[in-house]
Amino acid sequence: MLSYARLTPPASRVVGLARALAHLKLEPDTEEAEAVTAALAAAEEHLDGWSGALRHALLAQTWEATAPAPGPCGCGDAPGFLLDLPPVAAVLSVEALTGGAYLPVATWRSLSPNRRGSLALLPAPGTRWPTADPDPAAWRIRFRAGYATPAEVPPPIQAAILLIAADLFDNRGGKQLATLTDNPTIARLLARYQPSEA
């Protein structure tokens, strides 16, 4: 299984402050803008990236995935690497640790083996993966993932961010007087984007 580390975070937010204020029926010059901004950031952080609830890259970001060796990747018996952090925009490099140094792997092919749009990397036709040193991070793959602009993020994910942020904003106190329940709409909006094993 691959281990993931984010190299560069998204440069902007999926949902802007003005849209969130309108959703909450607050005036643009409200004193609550800082609290709404914090709620938006927390909502996106909850969903975004490898450790997020969706295991989905929301906006453009760069990642590094490492593994000790190729393995099952959902493409029959062929060993490879499954980049399960959709949408994968581009694979920047594939490297193997050989003789103590990372060397580039010049060619590979890619397939999308599951409903999430994950990307599987396989050897190019007629080739094999090179032999790598025994190391937990013998293979290193760098890639860009995420939607290019906030407008390209699927509307159900945008709507879920607004609902989560509104819930965080409305219930920002340490204690509540009422018993709260989860909003089932959030689960419905995000169902098709959930990780495969969810």
Side-chain angles (χ1 to χ4, degrees), residues 115 194-198:
R115 65 174 174 80
Q194 291 290 345
S196 303
E197 56 274 80

Side-chain angles (χ1 to χ4, degrees), residues 74-159:
C75 297
D77 295 332
F81 304 95
L82 180 64
L83 300 177
D84 195 19
L85 186 61
V88 176
V91 176
L92 304 176
S93 64
V94 178
E95 298 173 314
L97 188 64
T98 307
Y102 281 102
L103 301 178
V105 176
T107 60
W108 66 86
R109 62 188 169 114
S110 58
L111 298 171
S112 293
N114 62 33
R115 65 174 174 80
R116 276 171 54 79
S118 303
L119 193 69
L121 301 182
L122 300 164
T127 69
R128 293 177 161 191
W129 294 116
T131 301
D133 296 348
D135 189 280
W139 290 84
R140 186 167 71 182
I141 302 162
R142 290 183 176 172
F143 64 100
R144 277 198 309 270
Y147 301 94
T149 66
E152 293 177 45
V153 175
I157 295 178
Q158 295 185 42

